[in-house]
Amino acid sequence: MYTIRPAEKADAARCAAIYAPYTEGAITYEHPAPDAAEIARRMEEVTAAYPWLVCERDGEVIGYAYAHRFRERMAFDWTVEMSIYLDRDALGGGIGTALYSALIELLAALGYVNAIGTVATPNPPSERLHEKCGFERLFCAERIGWKMGKWRDMTYYMLRLNPPEGDPAPARLYPELDAGYVARVCAKHAAAIREARHD
């Protein structure tokens, strides 16, 4: 049974455990891995303005996705950056697509215009995920990061969430979204996982 829901502080330890293996490789440029307390701090900071979602399988968190500010200048108020991490045994079967799609729908409802995805490349699963979710590949910043004794590339993707027309209204804060609406969006995309996996 798969569910998608807003993250809670109690999920921080599980999210930290999911993220930690990625810090040992080149998928993320962060190292060392943050502990549960740091993830809880980040979660609190993020959810004051942006969604942070988790996906559960039979009650256990197996992945999470969240958005955060893209750049500090006011001109970027309508652009967010997205991140997603799945437990290694949860890769494939539409879990990442459903989780990312739920996050995208909430961000569009908040009034954001652009979503940015950054992928340390090569990373075929993440590249396919962004393409499947409708992101356009913008460019590859070659040899932009140094990790594990090698210069690494970063590829930037962008998804248009709302039309960039006229004088945009300020994007709303995530806590302003109706909780019932958030639950319906999450349930809809969780159902897509069950359909894809036939369970």
Side-chain angles (χ1 to χ4, degrees):
M1 178 70 173
Y2 294 90
T3 58
I4 295 173
R5 61 169 175 80
E8 301 171 355
K9 189 173 183 179
D11 299 318
R14 182 68 186 127
C15 289
I18 290 170
Y19 183 54
Y22 289 94
T23 68
E24 299 301 321
I27 300 301
T28 176
Y29 292 161
E30 183 168 17
H31 187 79
D35 62 14
E38 172 60 15
I39 293 294
R41 186 200 67 77
R42 294 180 189 183
M43 191 179 293
E44 183 177 10
E45 182 178 278
V46 164
T47 55
Y50 307 97
W52 184 311
L53 303 177
V54 298
C55 179
E56 292 180 318
R57 180 174 56 204
D58 299 328
E60 180 183 24
V61 173
I62 57 170
Y64 66 94
Y66 65 95
H68 59 88
R69 190 174 181 86
F70 173 62
R71 292 287 185 271
E72 289 305 316
R73 301 289 189 269
M74 188 183 301
F76 297 110
D77 282 356
W78 296 268
T79 299
V80 293
E81 186 171 347
M82 297 173 58
S83 296
I84 183 169
Y85 295 96
L86 300 180
D87 203 22
R88 294 307 175 99
D89 70 354
L91 297 173
I95 295 170
T97 300
L99 190 53
Y100 227 35
S101 296
L103 181 59
I104 287 166
E105 187 166 342
L106 295 179
L107 292 170
L110 288 168
Y112 290 102
V113 174
N114 306 301
I116 300 295
T118 55
V119 180
T121 46
N123 182 355
S126 188
E127 294 169 63
R128 286 194 299 269
L129 171 64
H130 284 84
E131 291 164 3
K132 189 173 182 179
C133 289
F135 283 76
E136 175 188 359
R137 184 183 185 277
L138 297 179
F139 65 91
C140 177
E142 297 181 349
R143 299 175 179 84
I144 196 171
W146 173 267
K147 191 175 184 185
M148 300 175 64
K150 183 178 178 181
W151 285 103
R152 307 285 176 170
D153 298 347
M154 181 75 75
T155 299
Y156 286 74
Y157 290 83
M158 188 178 82
L159 176 68
R160 193 77 77 192
L161 300 170
N162 284 297
E165 298 173 350
D167 189 1
R172 291 188 289 163
L173 298 177
Y174 171 57
E176 296 174 6
L177 277 184
D178 176 72
Y181 168 75
V182 173
R184 289 191 297 274
V185 169
C186 290
K188 177 179 70 175
H189 291 285
I193 303 174
R194 295 191 291 271
E195 183 177 338
R197 300 177 70 92
H198 307 292
D199 57 1

